Amino acid sequence: MIIQNYSDLQQAVAAELARNDLLPYIDGFIQRCESKLYRTLNLRHEETALNVPIIGGVAAVPGDFKALRHAYYDMTPVQWLDWVQPADIYKDYPDRGVARTPCVISREAGNFIFGPTAEDGTLRGIYYAKTPSVRTTGTNWYVINAPEVLLYGSLLEATPFIRNDERLPVWQSFYVDAVATLETEERFSKHSQGPIRQRSG
């Protein structure tokens, strides 16, 4: 069947399972599939502009933040920031009372922190944002562009209930192939912006 929204996805999972006793668990299967999927894949549709003020040496992490692609301290010329572990910042920049131009960034709880402690300014860049759940929005990027990932991933979440079902290896194969296709498309998209121009020395 065609999957265009959450209701369609629920029906498709139910049809594949063909088990009335599992109907009450389908929402949970989809929820766990989404949770695992969104934690393990960072795709181009999730790329979001980062534009956060730095105040008192820290910048607030966006609520939908998953991972950082790149970031820079907004100045002329821009100061690119390397991602490090929080412990490295405190070890390499122990004097947290002196604000300067930062060169590294990390996350600590709900804030980005910097080394050295950043002067007030603006943090810019690109980060991966969490994809809104299809369970709350009715549809999302995955439903429109890769419904098979949600379908077979959700079916696999039924494994504890149907351990010896001969369909499990088939669903596993389809899921792995669907995810691999997404990852391949992602790699191609990063190298499909036209020929790379060599810079003169």
Side-chain angles (χ1 to χ4, degrees), residues 155-170:
L155 290 169
L156 288 175
E157 293 302 321
T159 298
F161 297 87
I162 51 174
R163 292 183 183 277
N164 298 319
D165 196 303
E166 63 185 11
R167 296 171 298 175
L168 286 172
V170 177

Side-chain angles (χ1 to χ4, degrees), residues 166-186:
E166 63 185 11
R167 296 171 298 175
L168 286 172
V170 177
W171 294 339
Q172 176 72 28
S173 176
F174 286 165
Y175 178 75
V176 170
D177 181 68
V179 171
T181 298
L182 280 181
E183 293 176 327
T184 298
E185 291 176 350
E186 186 69 14

